[in-house]
Amino acid sequence: MSEPHPLHLRYFSDPLRQRTLAAGDQLLEQGEHNDRLYLLRSGRVEGTIMAGSERQRVPIMTVEAGNYLGVHSYFSRGASYCRLVALEPSELAWLDRNTQPVEPERFGSLADQFMPVIMAELAQRQRKVNHAYLERTRTQLRLMEAEKLSLLGQLAAGLAHELNNAIGVVTRNGSGLIDFLGDMLRQYYPREFRLFRQGLEAGQLSSSAEVRRDARRLEEQFRLAPEQAKLLARILNGEPPTRARVRDLLGVANYWQLGRDCHDMRLAVNHAAAIVRSVKQLGGADGERRHGVKVRDTLEQALALLQSSLRQVQVEPVLEGDPRLCANEAELVQVWANILKNALDALQATTDPKIWLHCRIHDEWIEVTLANNGPVIPPELQPRIFKPNVTTKRGGLSFGLGLGLAIAERVVTSYGGEISLVSEPGLTAFKVRLPREHGQDESDMCG
């Protein structure tokens, strides 16, 4: 047990200057004149002030046993700046204006002896002021960030509306133009039409590395110009070339390229539409939800949306059963697409990149896991990975503004679901849990 403080022995051991408070008893009122310096021998006392336009009591401190009360008002000969009330049974001792200094020739005046107490009180107040200033600054920064995000959401909604109109025109007119071109070729140029349709339906199946390798072989074997060799390598897609086949393709190869360009244009329009849906979601423009939406369909749509980017990645889907949700199909597609796009960005420098996609059904939940073998997400970023403007991409910009995962989390939580992250060497996995639907009529709309 520690020795009593010398000041306590000198000034707070007189039994005639001691007081007991029950829980709830008031020691001093805010603004009350005070002529005593109290030592709290046991118990706890809370200090509160009246604050705000509504004049509510706000706690500002809790004094524990062994500390002083009334330091400011006693030494300044002023009023108590707060109300002091016992939180539990408490014992106090005090000195007052009539108390004479003990051994002043040795220890100095009463003020000299209690100077450390006064300085400790001032230091404590300064710490409180600094803490309050820091908290106020943090609050202001949070409010500013919230205001910026709110403005961003409003701008996003307007931008999405304008872009959606433009994309709609490109989609309708582009589809009409492709159909018209296909009909004309089918009617007048059936041979060329077959190559056009091949490029339109499949696009370029070979990777860029495979095209370069096959093009070099075609150049050497058939003495073709580099651009001709590359185009034929794309069309042949690994098919062993013969002189007759090469001669046959040279005159009509541009029709395959035309079909491939139309195929890529469709992909680009779909991709732009997906971005607009993301921006709409950021702006709070939620779509209508209905019963009976098939999770498998939304996952397959997300994979189809990113098929050109997934060409270099081994995708292993494991989908159990046929789970359904009360949902908006486009919202779910966007959740999966955003997570997959994040994985694709992470896998760019990974050898033998892989994505695992698992869907499991539990009693009350549908659990979808999208995992990849990319690099570990830095530990300091993991707790903030679903916050807007947080990105693991170098330079901070790539596909977007660090909004994809924030949008995904917003959609998932709007369904009463959960999204979580596990990232360790060789495996980064996003797990999404959504409430399962039981026996609903698919035609019924839901909230």
Side-chain angles (χ1 to χ4, degrees), residues 36-332:
R36 291 179 175 179
L37 175 65
Y38 292 94
L39 169 67
L40 183 61
R41 299 169 64 92
S42 67
R44 287 188 308 144
V45 173
E46 180 181 62
T48 62
I49 61 171
M50 193 78 75
S53 58
E54 298 179 357
R55 306 294 291 167
Q56 294 181 336
R57 281 280 161 194
V58 178
I60 61 168
M61 66 177 179
T62 299
V63 181
E64 305 286 344
N67 293 294
Y68 295 95
L69 297 162
V71 176
H72 173 266
S73 53
Y74 175 76
F75 285 105
S76 67
R77 298 179 180 273
S80 175
Y81 69 90
C82 65
R83 176 189 287 178
L84 296 173
V85 176
L87 293 175
E88 57 189 50
S90 304
E91 295 181 357
L92 302 103
W94 76 83
L95 57 81
D96 55 25
R97 300 287 177 209
N98 297 320
T99 302
Q100 297 300 311
V102 175
E103 298 184 62
E105 66 283 354
R106 178 181 176 188
F107 299 113
S109 67
L110 197 64
D112 290 336
Q113 295 184 45
F114 278 90
M115 184 58 67
V117 175
I118 298 171
M119 296 306 297
E121 174 78 4
L122 291 174
Q124 183 182 30
R125 289 189 179 211
Q126 186 62 46
R127 285 194 297 270
K128 289 180 180 178
V129 169
N130 291 342
H131 179 73
Y133 174 77
L134 289 174
E135 283 300 311
R136 184 168 63 251
T137 302
R138 291 191 188 103
T139 301
Q140 289 173 343
L141 291 174
R142 286 194 293 267
L143 289 173
M144 290 171 61
E145 186 65 23
E147 186 176 351
K148 286 193 294 184
L149 289 175
S150 175
L151 178 60
L152 177 60
Q154 296 172 22
L155 293 173
L159 178 63
H161 177 74
E162 296 300 325
L163 288 175
N164 200 49
N165 291 337
I167 291 171
V169 172
V170 174
T171 302
R172 289 190 301 272
N173 293 349
S175 296
L177 182 61
I178 292 171
D179 291 342
F180 174 77
L181 186 57
D183 289 341
M184 292 291 292
L185 290 174
R186 182 189 298 109
Q187 183 175 357
Y188 297 107
Y189 302 96
R191 177 165 167 261
E192 288 82 353
F193 170 70
R194 285 192 295 272
L195 274 180
F196 171 80
R197 185 173 61 183
Q198 178 185 334
L200 176 64
E201 293 178 352
Q204 178 180 318
L205 298 176
S206 299
S207 68
S208 298
E210 291 169 336
V211 168
R212 288 193 297 270
R213 181 198 64 200
D214 294 344
R216 284 194 296 269
R217 292 176 182 172
L218 289 168
E219 281 187 60
E220 295 171 1
Q221 188 174 353
F222 300 102
R223 298 185 180 277
L224 299 176
E227 289 305 317
Q228 285 181 316
K230 281 186 180 179
L231 181 53
L232 291 187
R234 294 186 181 104
I235 298 173
L236 291 169
N237 185 35
E239 173 190 336
T242 64
R243 189 169 299 278
R245 177 68 166 146
V246 169
R247 188 187 309 113
D248 185 55
L249 287 176
L250 281 176
V252 292
N254 286 335
Y255 288 91
W256 177 89
Q257 184 165 306
L258 180 61
R260 193 279 308 268
D261 290 345
C262 291
H263 172 272
D264 290 350
M265 184 174 70
R266 280 179 173 174
L267 287 180
V269 169
N270 289 337
H271 189 54
I275 295 173
V276 169
R277 285 196 298 271
S278 293
V279 175
K280 277 187 174 182
Q281 182 60 43
L282 178 66
D286 295 331
E288 194 173 60
R289 298 174 180 178
R290 62 178 179 84
H291 292 293
V293 172
K294 298 180 179 181
V295 177
R296 180 191 295 268
D297 287 351
T298 62
L299 288 166
E300 290 176 348
Q301 288 179 46
L303 291 172
L305 183 64
L306 298 170
Q307 61 180 335
S308 61
S309 300
L310 290 167
R311 192 176 294 131
Q312 307 302 317
V313 179
Q314 181 181 344
V315 180
E316 298 182 4
V318 178
L319 308 178
E320 294 181 1
D322 188 22
R324 304 187 181 201
L325 293 174
C326 175
N328 175 273
E329 193 173 76
E331 288 179 340
L332 291 186

Side-chain angles (χ1 to χ4, degrees), residues 145 148-150 152 282 384-391 401-407 409-410:
E145 186 65 23
K148 286 193 294 184
L149 289 175
S150 175
L152 177 60
L282 178 66
R384 301 184 291 117
I385 198 66
F386 298 109
K387 300 294 183 184
N389 304 322
V390 175
T391 177
L401 299 170
L403 299 174
L405 293 179
I407 292 167
E409 188 206 30
R410 177 171 175 173

Side-chain angles (χ1 to χ4, degrees), residues 356-369:
W356 296 275
L357 196 157
H358 292 178
C359 180
R360 295 183 176 89
I361 305 174
H362 303 279
D363 289 341
E364 300 299 328
W365 295 89
I366 294 170
E367 185 178 279
V368 178
T369 302

